[in-house]
DNA sequence: CTAGGGTTAG
């Protein structure tokens, strides 16, 4: 229309600006603003309100305010857009103040004004304000409608306040809002977030007309509450019933798998999603990438990188940040850095990804350097930034630096010290052998230490073979998480390393009594675009004979060179020779053996393990790396081990 | 002709 030189009037500007607002396209909005300025309609109240709204929706509150301040006759639409905008951006005081000023200037808020304010609070995650505003609206004689309900519900879910949720549900039933699809999906979501699956299912079952958003909320709700199998089952049902599943539906089910240890399933669902013609978007990618990272499926991860570049979604900060994380977890820390440097607008998530990456690789210097660069760039650190930098310090035994970061967290950055930060400090002190200091830190905590703190203590006791403090930590853990087999294994390993076999048997008896089995060790390796899973002692892999043959040959070579496996890591009290036999079956060694067989000489190997690497395997893999002239990366639950030339990047300190 | 709502994301 503009290129045809047709004149724009005060009727077409609002419509065009509304389109910009809906799509948050600031660039076009600015151009239209320019046209408005030269058109002579710059003082039309409709045009001005629309302009203010466009800037609000593009997150440009300063620009919006400028337009609003210049308005000659401020109408209810302009006021309401500004109020909602401030609430949405988290400027609560400004929103409330403007709301008051609107009334003082003689403009009465209507239902849409109230709803906008409530939606703004919900959007910015303000759980208390949303509900409070709903109550205030009631007290001033405004009846809520379906929009009010679906605006306020998201903040109720965040509150985890089931009572409030039930009250609102009651209001929905009484007023007949249950026919509104948005209300139903918001209710399903709210009950899911409050952990009430019975209510969630009831709302879903009573739904009048099938609605895809409610189906999606149900899948997410089941997944979030640990009912993974049910989530997958209902998804399959929806597919069979020909519910018109959209990109959100597929993304939800991919996320469900990726967040619950079903990494291979996540990759398969992603493929199926594409095969039925649903295009993954900038949310799908960060949902899927953790699955690639978990099993070090680098080829899939790279494919996602290419896809993101092709689709033009790489610039999305969540997409690029999850790519950084994926490369780091797949052993490519340099690749992670390259991607990080290409992120145009970094946020705290991006910085945390690269700091965490360096930390995981034991590169404390680099992690600290990136942390300082983040501060210099003006980015405020959050509690995760501190978890990353503190764990980097503990990987490398940097006591002084760690203590200083720990102190600055609350004193300089105004952040609350959480359990995981105490756990980092216990880890830091404990690993260098300052077990008494670590124990003292726990005793002086303002809140009761949780399992991650005691777990750090127990691990430190394992490294230094301290049975006395180990027993204290273990007893706390048995009370806090009686069904976590790892704790029993750690304590029993402490005893085994001190040859206290009667106590080893006592712990194992206790485990058996409550019906716990040692978590089987499991490793993954990607070879020729296929991810292979190996379980400790499992002989089912088709190449197992060759693997064991190769490993035995390497074992002989190792003995010849005068090195012997460290057998103190075996749990059972058995003859020395048999111990070595059991160690041979550890999954990380099997994965390395498989990698050696199926890759050309000199090719680097990347292995992922679900538990911490054992000392014997660590020693053996150091030997293999040297003997075979290979770089071998092993990622365990804690960090990366980069084996090369007979040494490991962790310097035997893990 | 201009203002308000639900589902996926470290």
């Amino acid at each position: 229309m503009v290129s045809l030189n047709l004149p724009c009037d005060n009727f077409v500007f609002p419509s065009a600006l509304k389109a910009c607002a809906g799509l948050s396209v600031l660039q076009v909005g600015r151009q239209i603003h320019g046209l408005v300025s030269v058109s002579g309609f710059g003082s039309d109240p409709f045009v001005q309100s629309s302009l203010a709204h466009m800037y609000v929706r593009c997150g440009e509150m300063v620009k919006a305010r400028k337009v609003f301040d210049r308005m000659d006759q401020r109408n209810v639409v302009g006021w309401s857009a500004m109020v909602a905008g401030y609430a949405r951006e988290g400027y609560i005081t400004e929103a409330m103040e403007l709301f008051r000023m609107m009334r003082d200037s003689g403009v009465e808020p209507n239902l849409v004004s109230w709803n906008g304010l409530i939606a703004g609070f919900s959007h910015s995650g303000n759980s208390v304000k949303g509900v409070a505003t709903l109550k205030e609206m009631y007290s001033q004689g405004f009846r809520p409608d379906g929009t009010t309900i679906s605006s306020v519900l998201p903040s109720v879910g965040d509150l985890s306040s089931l009572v409030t949720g039930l009250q609102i549900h009651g209001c929905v039933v009484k007023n007949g809002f249950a026919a509104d699809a948005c209300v139903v999906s918001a209710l399903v979501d709210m009950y899911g977030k409050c952990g009430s699956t019975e209510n969630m299912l009831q709302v879903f079952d009573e739904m009048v007309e099938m609605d895809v958003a409610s189906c999606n909320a149900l899948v997410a709700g089941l997944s979030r509450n640990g009912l993974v199998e049910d989530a997958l089952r209902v998804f399959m049902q929806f597919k069979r019933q020909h519910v018109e599943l959209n990109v959100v539906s597929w993304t939800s089910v991919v996320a469900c798998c990726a967040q619950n240890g079903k990494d291979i399933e996540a990759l398969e669902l992603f493929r199926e999603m594409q095969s039925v013609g649903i295009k993954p978007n900038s949310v799908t990618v960060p949902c899927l990438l953790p699955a690639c990272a978990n099993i070090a499926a680098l080829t899939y991860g790279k494919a996602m990188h290419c896809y993101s570049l092709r689709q033009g979604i790489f610039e999305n900060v969540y997409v690029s940040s999850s790519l950084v994380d994926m490369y780091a977890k797949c052993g490519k820390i340099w690749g992670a850095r390259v991607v990080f440097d290409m992120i145009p607008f970094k946020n705290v998530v991006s910085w945390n990804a690269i700091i965490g990456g360096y930390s995981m690789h034991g590169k404390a210097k680099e992690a600290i350097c990136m942390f300082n660069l983040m501060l210099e760039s003006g980015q405020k650190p959050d509690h995760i930034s501190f978890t990353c930098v503190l764990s980097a310090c503990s990987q490398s035994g940097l006591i002084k630096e760690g203590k200083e970061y720990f102190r600055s967290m609350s004193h300089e950055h105004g952040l609350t010290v959480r359990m995981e930060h105490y756990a980092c400090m216990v880890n830091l002190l404990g690993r260098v052998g300052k077990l008494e200091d670590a124990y003292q830190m726990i005793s002086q905590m303002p809140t009761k230490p949780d399992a991650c703190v005691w777990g750090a203590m127990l691990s430190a006791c394992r490294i230094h073979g301290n049975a006395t403090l180990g027993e204290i930590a273990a007893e706390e853990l048995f009370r806090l998480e009686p069904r976590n087999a790892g704790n029993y294994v750690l304590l029993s390993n402490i005893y085994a390393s001190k040859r206290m076999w009667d106590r080893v048997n006592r712990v194992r008896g206790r485990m058996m009594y409550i019906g716990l089995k040692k978590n089987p060790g499991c490793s993954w390796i990607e070879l020729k675009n296929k991810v292979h899973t190996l379980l400790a002692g499992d002989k089912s892999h088709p190449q197992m004979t060759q693997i064991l043959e190769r490993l035995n040959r390497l074992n002989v070579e190792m003995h010849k060179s005068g090195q012997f496996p460290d057998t103190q890591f075996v749990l059972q009290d058995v003859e020395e020779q048999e111990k070595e036999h059991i160690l041979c079956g550890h999954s990380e060694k099997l994965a390395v053996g498989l990698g050696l067989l199926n890759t050309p000489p000199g090719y680097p190997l990347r292995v992922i393990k679900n538990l911490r690497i054992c000392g014997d395997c660590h020693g053996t893999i150091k030997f293999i790396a040297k003997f075979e002239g290979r770089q071998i990366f092993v990622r365990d639950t804690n960090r990366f081990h980069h084996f090369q030339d007979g040494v490991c990047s962790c310097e035997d300190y893990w």
Side-chain angles (χ1 to χ4, degrees):
Chain A
M1 179 179 169
V2 171
S3 72
L4 289 173
N5 270 329
L6 291 168
C8 297
D9 63 6
N10 51 330
F11 290 95
V12 76
F13 282 131
S15 305
L17 286 164
K18 184 182 188 176
C20 296
L23 296 167
S24 294
V25 279
L26 181 61
Q27 281 188 335
V28 185
R30 278 203 189 112
Q31 288 169 4
I32 296 177
H33 192 172
L35 290 173
V36 166
S37 305
V38 297
S39 69
F41 293 105
S43 48
D44 181 281
F46 280 74
V47 175
Q48 287 173 323
S49 305
S50 312
L51 271 172
H53 175 235
M54 181 274 294
Y55 282 121
V56 163
R57 291 303 295 255
C58 293
E60 296 276 326
M61 284 311 291
V62 177
K63 288 292 283 179
R65 187 60 188 257
K66 237 178 205 163
V67 173
F68 179 73
D69 284 344
R70 275 208 303 267
M71 279 177 76
D72 311 303
Q73 312 147 295
R74 298 197 185 113
N75 54 27
V76 66
V77 175
W79 279 107
S80 306
M82 293 305 293
V83 167
Y86 280 120
R88 204 183 166 90
E89 299 290 322
Y91 300 114
I92 298 143
T93 326
E94 286 83 351
M96 300 305 287
E97 176 66 9
L98 219 61
F99 200 66
R100 193 188 57 76
M101 280 167 64
M102 162 160 84
R103 298 173 137 172
D104 288 352
S105 74
V107 178
E108 272 311 305
N110 58 23
L111 181 59
V112 181
S113 317
W114 283 104
N115 286 350
L117 183 59
I118 292 171
F121 285 138
S122 280
H123 190 89
S124 67
N126 195 323
S127 30
V128 183
K129 268 289 180 191
V131 179
T133 310
L134 175 69
K135 285 183 180 156
E136 199 189 329
M137 167 184 177
Y138 247 116
S139 72
Q140 302 201 5
F142 277 97
R143 294 296 103 189
D145 64 359
T147 303
T148 320
I149 302 299
S150 47
S151 301
V152 77
L153 277 173
S155 67
V156 178
D158 289 346
L159 242 182
S160 296
S161 161
L162 189 55
V163 178
T164 312
L166 286 162
Q167 282 169 351
I168 296 176
H169 190 179
C171 166
V172 167
V173 175
K174 210 169 64 189
N175 292 289
F177 298 145
D180 187 326
C182 290
V183 169
V184 174
S185 63
L187 276 173
V188 171
D189 178 61
M190 179 274 294
Y191 280 129
K193 283 181 177 150
C194 290
S196 175
T197 44
E198 305 82 24
N199 282 306
M200 177 177 73
L201 286 164
Q202 197 197 335
V203 173
F204 185 84
D205 290 338
E206 289 170 356
M207 178 169 55
V208 201
E209 228 177 310
M210 195 51 131
D211 171 57
V212 68
S214 301
C215 295
N216 301 343
L218 182 72
V219 170
L222 291 168
S223 168
R224 156 179 299 131
N225 288 289
L227 302 167
V228 183
E229 300 304 328
D230 296 283
L232 295 177
R233 212 189 48 241
V234 300
F235 180 82
M236 296 307 166
Q237 254 171 35
F238 295 149
K239 208 168 68 178
R240 272 200 305 277
Q241 293 164 0
H242 306 291
V243 175
E244 285 215 29
L245 299 173
N246 57 21
V247 63
V248 179
S249 326
W250 284 94
T251 304
S252 305
V253 75
V254 166
C256 170
C257 290
Q259 287 159 8
N260 291 286
K262 294 182 174 291
D263 303 303
I264 309 248
E265 290 87 340
L267 293 173
E268 282 167 356
L269 278 163
F270 180 77
R271 284 195 157 166
E272 190 184 342
M273 164 181 188
Q274 285 177 301
S275 75
V276 299
I278 302 289
K279 218 172 86 180
N281 65 13
S282 59
V283 180
T284 319
V285 174
C287 285
L288 180 72
L289 278 170
C292 303
N294 282 343
I295 52 174
L298 183 59
T299 315
Y300 286 90
K302 278 182 177 166
M304 295 313 299
H305 188 178
C306 298
Y307 179 84
S308 306
L309 291 170
R310 278 202 307 277
Q311 295 298 321
I313 55 173
F314 177 85
E315 305 236 323
N316 179 295
V317 70
Y318 291 98
V319 170
S320 43
S321 302
S322 55
L323 281 167
V324 171
D325 182 65
M326 181 277 296
Y327 278 114
K329 287 191 175 139
C330 288
K332 294 272 193 184
I333 186 62
W334 178 240
R337 179 58 188 271
V338 170
V339 172
F340 175 80
D341 287 340
M342 283 169 59
I343 302 178
F345 302 105
K346 302 170 176 69
N347 69 4
V348 69
V349 179
S350 332
W351 286 101
N352 291 349
I354 193 69
I355 298 168
Y358 278 127
S359 165
M360 194 190 319
H361 282 262
K363 295 182 179 295
K365 234 180 25 217
E366 288 84 348
I368 287 172
C369 173
M370 294 314 278
F371 187 87
N372 293 333
L373 277 176
M374 169 173 74
L375 298 184
E376 277 170 32
S377 80
Q379 173 63 58
K380 283 190 191 134
D382 67 1
H383 66 103
I384 297 174
S385 321
F386 277 96
T387 311
C388 294
V389 78
L390 286 174
S391 78
C393 292
S394 69
Q395 303 277 8
S396 305
L398 302 176
I399 300 255
K400 210 179 97 226
E401 290 84 347
K403 279 184 172 169
E404 172 51 25
Y405 282 123
F406 186 73
R407 189 198 62 80
S408 77
M409 192 180 165
S410 51
H411 289 76
E412 281 167 33
H413 299 280
L415 292 166
T416 312
V417 179
R418 302 193 183 192
M419 285 296 171
E420 56 265 36
H421 305 110
Y422 281 104
C424 285
M425 291 310 282
V426 169
N427 205 352
L428 172 64
L429 296 167
R431 274 136 70 95
V432 296
K434 293 178 182 285
L435 291 173
E436 293 293 341
D437 289 7
Y439 187 60
Q440 204 187 346
M441 174 138 226
I442 294 180
S443 323
Q444 288 169 354
M445 282 175 61
T447 44
K448 259 189 135 18
D450 72 353
C452 77
V453 177
W454 286 117
M457 188 70 205
L458 185 59
S459 299
C461 293
R462 166 68 189 84
I463 295 172
H464 298 285
N466 187 321
T468 320
L469 286 171
E471 275 170 358
I472 296 176
E475 282 310 323
E476 294 288 343
L477 285 165
F478 296 160
R479 197 172 46 76
L480 287 165
E481 35 177 43
R483 303 209 59 83
N484 183 340
N487 299 325
Y488 298 87
V489 174
L490 268 176
L491 180 62
S492 129
N493 280 352
I494 295 177
Y495 291 142
S497 70
K498 313 213 100 181
R499 307 193 155 269
M500 298 157 82
W501 302 118
D502 54 326
R503 299 220 180 175
V504 169
N505 287 332
R506 207 182 326 160
V507 177
R508 298 187 69 214
R510 199 161 157 184
M511 255 177 103
M512 257 184 318
Y513 178 72
I514 45 180
L516 281 180
K517 269 204 207 124
K518 193 181 163 193
N519 212 350
C522 184
S523 293
W524 295 268
I525 185 166
E526 190 188 60
L527 300 163
K528 293 174 192 139
N529 300 348
K530 191 181 180 311
V531 175
H532 297 256
T533 309
L534 293 134
L535 279 159
D538 177 21
K539 302 276 190 306
S540 66
H541 194 279
Q543 284 182 286
M544 192 48 75
T545 324
Q546 291 161 272
I547 294 174
L548 292 175
E549 212 178 88
R550 182 78 175 244
L551 289 177
N552 273 329
R553 252 195 1 249
L554 285 161
N555 224 14
V556 171
E557 289 294 339
M558 193 162 79
H559 281 115
K560 264 199 241 165
S561 74
Q563 294 178 49
F564 295 93
D566 189 350
T567 44
Q568 68 160 354
F569 290 92
V570 186
L571 186 61
Q572 295 95 330
D573 177 17
V574 280
E575 293 302 315
E576 288 296 322
Q577 226 185 343
E578 203 178 328
K579 275 191 207 171
E580 265 190 52
H581 181 73
I582 293 167
L583 288 168
C584 257
H586 269 180
S587 62
E588 56 268 51
K589 258 197 285 196
L590 296 177
V592 168
L594 183 68
L596 290 173
L597 289 172
N598 295 290
T599 50
Y603 198 87
L605 301 177
R606 296 167 205 287
V607 172
I608 304 294
K609 195 188 174 191
N610 69 337
L611 305 169
R612 299 242 324 251
I613 188 168
C614 92
D616 166 68
C617 289
H618 195 266
T620 310
I621 297 173
K622 276 200 288 191
F623 175 80
I624 295 176
K626 190 179 172 77
F627 187 79
E628 298 275 349
R630 300 244 195 177
Q631 289 190 46
I632 303 175
F633 298 85
V634 179
R635 192 186 86 202
D636 68 8
T637 40
N638 239 7
R639 59 165 294 155
F640 252 97
H641 300 266
H642 179 186
F643 300 92
Q644 193 171 14
D645 282 335
V647 291
C648 177
S649 60
C650 76
E651 297 174 346
D652 301 338
Y653 186 75
W654 81 95

